[in-house]
Every structure is written in structure tokens, then in C-alpha cells.
């Protein structure tokens, strides 16, 4: 993308077989605004039949037009600021338990640790901590992601279906298991409503559309699996990038630790205070700017569109390039440097800083994910001494559905403090 931008400027066509063919990419904020402002009559989500097979016909990734708008209105409040605020202590507890499970003075891969942490926090966040289906759902998801990671997944799906084996078949079976588990949970909760839970399912069960109708069982189970798939790997990779950046920068590391003192009461970090710390907030923004988890947000034109002077016919795939937009030197001076303090001055628009995409398809986890990142970083800096191990320079690679640092980021936990006495090292 960088080479194309150097050669062709802020709009160009890339031929990407893995992204469904030719895509017109742009990093121009006005063009990005134009794409994000387009209505359901003007643009659609590029369709892959695999999404419907794996995530269900009523997944947010699959539905279009008024059905999509309705579903978003039902789902968004359960992941909005008020709902997220009620889960802060729970997230902090999950991170503390994860730290306790990491091996002491034995090298491990941060990416694997972050995958495990986010898988647990995502399934518990969706179903609640005490659901008997959190473990089986996490297992089904792991089977699916292993199948997806197999190089044999590239064998044409039709052939794998005809042969009846191969990673695609395993992936479909694991996705069916996940949707069945989600469906069982939904039916059980309807039969035995619980008290006001903070989990996403409790809130989705109470959601009503403008006609006063609740979500159907199918919508609920498809939504749970969609949120798991969309939220797990993305957040795990964002967390891995964050530690990779922060642990490489001793001065920032120290400043962040000092800042945490403003959020401490009676020796404990207060999560409500942690999430509004300015340097921590700037650090999370800078991680997502320099290392966007998705390089682009794609749309398919349903009508022709004039974009930066080019007439693009209906059927063209267009994509705001999140990666290039985040590297525009006029918005972010010295764009390749990791510099959280830039956000003390910079006030980029939603078309210049867009890690969560935009418009009617903007990520529904755009509030929850930065909160998870802040609480994870703060809790680890507070309770553990984590060090990176030397290794080759980190490159960006594709992992599952998002972009991740190469090599898994090897690290070692040099020490950790207990709850009771945070000065006691065990
Ligand atoms: C750092 C973590 C994350 C990043 C960087 C990220 C990024 C994105 C991006 C770029 C899109 C496409 C937006 C567009 O096309 O305009 C997206 C869509 C989506 N994300 Fe996220 N995401 C993250 C975490 C999450 C989480 C935690 C959840 C769920 C709890 C989630 C659920 C979704 C869903 C359901 C969509 C599809 C929305 C729709 O089509 O209406 N994401 N995400």
C-alpha cells in the first residue's frame, strides 16, 4: 500500500485475489467521508457466502439494508458506554487472573497469552461468568480458528465440500457447534430469566426494536457467534501490538506507570479512573493508528459514484485505506514513529483516524475494545514486570482475520505482585 501511495497518490486500484478482486483504495479524508456517508441504496458489504454458512443468515456481517439497521439498533446499546462501564471491574479481574496464570521467568508468546485472555473475557462477557457454556463455546471457537489457520484452507471450498474433509469442513462443524451452544443458552435464559446480568446476552434479551419486538432466537445466537468472531482475534492482536510497542519504549513505560498513581485508591487501581487517564488513552489511540488491525474497510457500490474525479461504475469495490489514512504526514507528522503524545495536540477527524471503520458498518466493539486495552495495559503494568525477549525485527503478518506482529512477540514475566501486598513479589 505504501508503494502504491508513493507511486499513484491517494487513490489507486489494487488487484487483490484474497479480497475478491479489484479494489479502489483511497486515503483521502473527503473521499473516505463520502464512502462512509453513502446509504444502503448506494453501497453494500461485499458478500462472501462463507459468512452466512459460518455465522448464520442473520449475522451482522450478512444482513443488509433495513434489516441491518434494525439489528444494529438492537445490538449497539449492549456494547455502548453505559453497558461497558458496568463491566470494568469484571475485565480487571479477568486480567488479574490471566497474569496469575502466566509462567514466571519462563519465556512465552505474548500473542498466545493475549489470545487466551481475550477468548475467556469475550465468552464470559457474552454469556456471563457462570454460564456452563463458556468453556464449550471457547473450545468450539479454538477448533474453528485452528482450522482457519491451516494452509489447506486455501484448497477450493467446493472441492473440500465434495470430499467431505479438510479444514473448511472442520471449520463449518465447529461454527455449527458454536451456534448450537449459543442457541441452547438463549433458550435456557428465556425459560429461566436471570437477574439483571452485565453480560451481553442479558442485555440483548431485553432489547426491543421500534415496533417493540425482541430479537428472535436465531438472531440472538447468530449475533453471539458474530461478536465472538469479530471481537476476539482483533482485540487479542491489538493487545499484542500494544505490549510490543510499550515494552520497547522504557520512557513511555515509566510515564504510564507514574500516571497510574492518579487512578489508585487504597492501594488498588480503580478501573473507572484508569479508563480516563490521558496518556493511557493516547497510547491506545497511537497503537491502533500505527498498527490498524484491519488495513481497509470495504464496500461494494450499488450505484455509480464519483470519487476524487473518477467515475466508478456500480459493482466496483471501494475501500477507505485505514493503513494509509493513518500514515498521512500532514495529519500525523513523522507517521511511522510510535508517539502517543501526538494525541495531546492532534484532533484527527473520524475520516483521518478510523481504526474501527465508519458509517453504518462502523465496528460495534469500538467502545469496548479500547476499554479492554486500557484495563489490560494498566493492570499488567501495575501487577507484573514483563520484558520482551530479543528477536528479529517485528513485521506485520496476517493472522486469522486480522493483522498481527510476526513471531508472536516472545516475552518473559520477571516478577508479579500479589493482590494483598502489591510490594510482595512471588
Ligand atoms: C481493537 C479491536 C477491534 C478493531 C481494530 C476492530 C475493527 C473493525 C473494523 C475496521 C470493522 C469494519 C468497519 C467498517 O467496515 O466500516 C469492524 C467491524 C465489526 N466489528 Fe470490530 N474491531 C475490534 C473489536 C471488536 C469487538 C470487541 C467486537 C465485538 C464485541 C467487534 C465487532 C464487530 C462487528 C460485529 C463488526 C461488523 C459491523 C457491521 O457490519 O455492522 N469488533 N471492526
Amino acid at each position: 500500500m505504501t508503494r502504491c501511495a508513493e507511486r499513484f497518490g491517494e487513490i489507486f486500484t489494487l488487484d487483490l485475489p484474497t479480497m475478491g478482486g479489484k479494489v479502489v483504495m483511497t486515503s483521502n479524508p473527503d473521499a473516505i467521508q463520502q464512502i462512509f456517508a453513502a446509504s444502503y441504496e448506494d453501497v453494500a458489504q461485499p458478500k462472501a457466502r462463507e459468512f452466512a454458512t459460518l455465522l448464520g443468515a442473520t449475522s451482522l456481517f450478512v444482513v443488509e439494508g433495513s434489516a441491518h439497521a434494525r439489528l444494529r439498533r438492537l445490538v449497539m446499546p449492549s456494547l455502548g458506554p453505559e453497558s461497558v462501564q458496568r463491566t470494568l471491574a469484571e475485565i480487571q479481574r479477568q486480567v488479574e487472573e490471566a497474569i496469575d496464570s502466566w509462567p514466571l521467568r519462563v519465556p512465552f508468546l505474548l500473542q498466545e497469552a493475549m489470545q487466551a485472555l481475550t477468548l475467556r473475557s469475550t465468552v464470559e462477557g457474552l454469556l456471563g461468568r457462570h454460564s456452563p457454556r463458556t468453556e464449550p463455546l471457547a473450545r468450539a471457537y479454538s477448533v474453528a480458528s485452528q482450522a482457519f489457520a491451516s494452509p489447506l484452507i486455501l484448497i477450493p471450498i467446493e472441492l473440500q465440500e465434495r470430499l467431505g474433509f479438510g479444514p473448511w469442513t472442520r471449520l463449518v462443524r465447529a461454527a455449527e457447534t458454536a451456534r448450537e451452544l449459543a442457541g441452547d443458552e438463549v433458550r435456557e435464559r428465556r425459560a429461566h430469566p436471570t437477574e439483571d446480568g452485565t453480560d451481553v446476552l442479558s442485555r440483548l434479551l431485553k432489547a426491543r426494536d421500534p415496533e417493540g419486538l425482541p430479537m428472535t432466537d436465531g438472531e440472538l445466537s447468530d449475533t453471539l457467534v458474530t461478536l465472538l468472531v469479530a471481537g476476539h482475534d482483533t482485540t487479542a492482536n491489538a493487545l499484542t501490538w500494544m505490549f510490543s510497542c510499550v515494552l520497547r519504549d522504557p520512557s513511555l513505560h515509566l510515564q504510564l506507570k507514574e500516571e497510574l498513581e492518579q487512578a489508585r485508591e487504597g492501594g488498588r487501581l480503580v478501573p473507572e479512573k484508569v479508563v480516563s487517564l490521558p496518556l493511557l488513552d493516547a497510547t491506545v489511540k497511537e497503537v491502533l493508528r500505527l498498527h490498524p488491525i484491519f488495513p481497509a474497510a470495504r464496500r461494494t457500490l450499488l450505484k455509480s459514484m464519483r470519487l476524487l474525479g473518477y467515475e466508478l461504475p456500480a459493482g466496483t469495490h471501494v475501500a477507505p485505506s485505514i493503513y494509509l489514512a493513518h500514515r498521512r504526514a500532514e495529519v500525523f507528522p513523522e507517521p511511522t514513529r510510535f508517539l502517543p503524545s501526538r494525541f495531546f495536540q492532534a484532533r484527527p477527524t473520524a475520516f483521518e483516524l478510523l481504526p474501527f471503520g465508519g458509517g453504518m458498518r462502523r465496528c460495534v466493539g469500538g467502545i469496548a475494545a479500547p476499554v479492554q486495552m486500557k484495563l489490560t495495559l494498566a493492570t499488567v503494568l501495575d501487577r507484573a514486570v514483563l520484558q520482551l525477549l530479543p528477536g528479529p525485527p517485528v513485521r506485520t503478518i496476517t493472522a486469522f482475520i486480522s493483522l498481527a506482529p510476526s513471531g508472536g512477540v516472545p516475552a518473559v514475566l520477571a516478577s508479579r505482585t500479589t493482590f494483598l501486598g502489591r510490594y510482595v513479589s512471588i
Side-chain angles (χ1 to χ4, degrees), residues 61 68 72 230-231 234-235 238 294 297 299 355-358 361 363-364 369:
F61 283 120
H68 179 254
R72 273 183 77 98
T234 44
T235 312
F294 291 122
R299 305 285 185 269
F356 298 104
R361 291 271 171 186
C363 174
V364 300

Side-chain angles (χ1 to χ4, degrees), residues 221-410:
S221 52
D222 289 357
T223 299
L224 290 172
V225 176
T226 299
L227 296 179
L228 174 56
V229 170
H232 168 255
D233 205 57
T234 44
T235 312
N237 285 332
L239 290 172
T240 314
W241 277 121
M242 180 172 70
F243 283 106
S244 169
C245 292
V246 171
L247 298 179
R248 251 171 255 283
D249 188 335
S251 144
L252 172 67
H253 191 219
L254 196 67
Q255 287 172 49
L256 282 165
K257 273 187 81 107
E258 281 168 9
E259 191 188 54
L260 287 185
E261 295 313 309
Q262 297 167 29
R264 199 183 295 288
E265 261 173 30
R268 287 272 286 158
L269 287 184
V270 180
E272 289 74 12
K273 291 189 175 179
V274 167
V275 292
S276 32
L277 293 172
L279 182 59
L280 190 61
D281 181 67
T283 303
V284 166
K285 285 198 177 103
E286 180 68 343
V287 170
L288 293 172
R289 179 195 72 81
L290 193 58
H291 300 293
I293 301 303
F294 291 122
R298 272 192 318 154
R299 305 285 185 269
T300 306
L301 298 186
L302 299 176
K303 291 181 184 158
S304 64
M305 181 185 272
R306 196 163 177 78
L307 204 63
L308 298 178
Y310 293 96
E311 193 66 31
L312 306 177
T316 308
H317 296 306
V318 292
S321 169
I322 301 175
Y323 180 87
L324 288 177
H326 287 186
R327 285 166 186 243
R328 287 173 76 92
E330 66 272 36
V331 186
F332 303 108
E334 298 186 83
T336 55
R337 279 189 66 195
F338 178 69
L339 217 54
S341 59
R342 69 170 80 245
F343 283 102
F344 295 148
Q345 286 91 44
R347 291 277 173 272
T349 69
F351 314 109
E352 293 166 336
L353 183 71
L354 49 144
F356 298 104
M360 66 225 177
R361 291 271 171 186
R362 188 179 190 273
C363 174
V364 300
I367 291 173
V371 165
Q372 169 95 40
M373 291 172 72
K374 287 180 199 179
L375 284 177
T376 307
L377 182 56
T379 312
V380 170
L381 292 185
D382 187 45
R383 292 226 22 237
V385 177
L386 201 55
Q387 290 160 352
L388 293 182
L389 292 176
V394 174
R395 292 173 299 110
T396 303
I397 54 160
T398 46
F400 195 31
I401 53 167
S402 48
L403 299 180
S406 60
V409 189

